[in-house]
Amino acid sequence: MNRAHFRAWPYLVATLVAAHFMCVPISAAATLDDAQMENLVRRSYQYVAMYNTNNNFAMQEANPFSTNGWNKLFVPTGLMDHTVTAIPRPNNDTLYLMAMLDMRDDAIVIQFPAFDSKYVSLETSAYDHYVDVPLSTTKGDFKKPTTMLFYTDRTRGYDGEPVDGIDKTLKMTGDFAIAFLRVAPQASEPTRMQRNLEAMKKQKLMTLSEFRGGPMKTSSPVKFPAFGNDQTVFRNNFLEVMQFVVNHTTFDPNDEMDREVLEALKPLGVEPG
């Protein structure tokens, strides 16, 4: 898999300061020297950042772009401007359509519409901060509607088998993920922009069970550790958050960054399982 990294690094310096106040048991912290502590923060920071980012889009009612729940959409009605703070430095010439996915109990199906735009891309990321771009106009996508299925190694009742009516399947690395469209609206052409806004309203999200004509499966209960901003997590509940993240993430034993973060967490008792 060709992995890109979510753009989180500008906030790392502030978080390194927060590391001095990390929620780590004294007995564990005593075994870490300064270099190990810095390595721990550098390896885990991206996960904390994406834990907060994804959860804020899915569950933060004060976020004006929240989907207000998992397996739901936020559909924009216009462009963002400089007053937006929910997304760091959003492009004011781009439409963002958010889908927040919980793939624990069933695979998720999204029906993407066609767009009249020179640039559209679908970006996905779980808590592990790796970004995939499975659909893009640069690859010839979005000329016609596309039905896509999302799942993980832990998705119950689905293991990657072909499904009639599905155009593309993506195996995600995390159970809780974001899948968002970036659409150039062609704002200099109002009629064309309106067509793209109307197209966004046609996007549909459903579980695989619903796609097959059945009822939606009951969601398993889940308790999310407190989220908000990165510094607060490092100070107050770092180990709890990282254990939750690790439990819901697939790590590649052949990937150096995956191996290194697990090695950094292991002395603190945080391991998959």
Side-chain angles (χ1 to χ4, degrees):
M1 177 172 58
N2 183 18
R3 289 175 155 181
H5 307 295
F6 213 88
R7 291 173 285 277
W9 286 104
Y11 306 99
L12 178 56
V13 174
T15 307
L16 284 170
V17 175
H20 292 288
F21 308 97
M22 284 177 65
C23 179
V24 174
I26 293 176
S27 58
T31 66
L32 301 179
D33 58 30
D34 288 346
Q36 289 173 312
M37 182 67 80
E38 181 174 334
N39 179 64
L40 175 65
V41 177
R42 288 184 180 277
R43 297 292 179 184
S44 62
Y45 173 75
Q46 302 93 325
Y47 295 83
V48 171
M50 286 308 300
Y51 178 78
N52 286 319
T53 297
N54 283 1
N55 289 356
N56 276 317
F57 276 118
M59 298 182 287
Q60 177 53 265
E61 294 181 359
N63 183 346
F65 309 106
S66 174
T67 57
N68 294 308
W70 295 97
N71 298 331
K72 294 183 178 182
L73 302 172
F74 167 78
V75 181
T77 57
L79 293 166
M80 300 180 182
D81 60 23
H82 66 282
T83 64
V84 172
T85 58
I87 300 175
R89 300 180 301 280
N91 295 334
N92 61 10
D93 60 351
T94 303
L95 295 168
Y96 295 87
L97 194 161
M98 311 289 184
M100 302 308 302
L101 314 182
D102 173 359
M103 295 163 281
R104 295 172 302 140
D105 297 301
D106 204 352
I108 302 301
V109 175
I110 301 181
Q111 296 174 326
F112 296 101
F115 287 97
D116 180 16
S117 173
K118 65 181 180 181
Y119 181 75
V120 185
S121 66
L122 170 66
E123 296 186 22
T124 63
S125 183
Y127 292 150
D128 60 7
H129 73 85
Y130 296 119
V131 176
D132 284 306
V133 183
L135 297 176
S136 173
T137 48
T138 61
K139 303 175 184 177
D141 300 311
F142 298 108
K143 293 179 180 179
K144 61 181 181 179
T146 302
T147 301
M148 191 165 176
L149 182 148
F150 302 82
Y151 75 108
T152 79
D153 280 335
R154 290 162 296 281
T155 299
R156 301 180 183 96
Y158 181 77
D159 195 30
E161 64 273 13
V163 176
D164 288 343
I166 297 296
D167 300 313
K168 189 177 181 69
T169 299
L170 180 65
K171 187 176 185 179
M172 300 284 291
T173 54
D175 299 332
F176 300 98
I178 186 171
F180 67 98
L181 291 182
R182 296 162 57 95
V183 181
Q186 311 303 139
S188 62
E189 305 173 60
T191 302
R192 195 175 175 189
M193 178 174 173
Q194 189 58 39
R195 284 201 298 269
N196 286 318
L197 286 169
E198 291 299 320
M200 285 189 155
K201 297 177 184 178
K202 298 177 182 179
Q203 180 165 317
K204 296 179 181 179
L205 183 152
M206 66 203 78
T207 65
L208 177 57
S209 295
E210 292 173 301
F211 180 75
R212 286 170 163 165
M216 180 175 65
K217 296 179 180 179
T218 302
S219 296
S220 300
V222 58
K223 183 177 181 181
F224 291 90
F227 59 91
N229 64 61
D230 306 336
Q231 289 75 26
T232 299
V233 167
F234 272 100
R235 290 191 184 99
N236 299 334
N237 61 336
F238 171 74
L239 292 183
E240 184 184 10
V241 165
M242 288 307 301
Q243 185 63 67
F244 184 90
V245 167
V246 165
N247 288 347
H248 292 282
T249 300
T250 302
F251 293 90
D252 182 355
N254 296 315
D255 184 88
E256 180 183 359
M257 292 190 70
D258 283 8
R259 292 197 309 270
E260 291 288 347
V261 69
L262 291 178
E263 290 175 9
L265 290 167
K266 188 173 182 179
L268 303 178
V270 176
E271 299 185 72

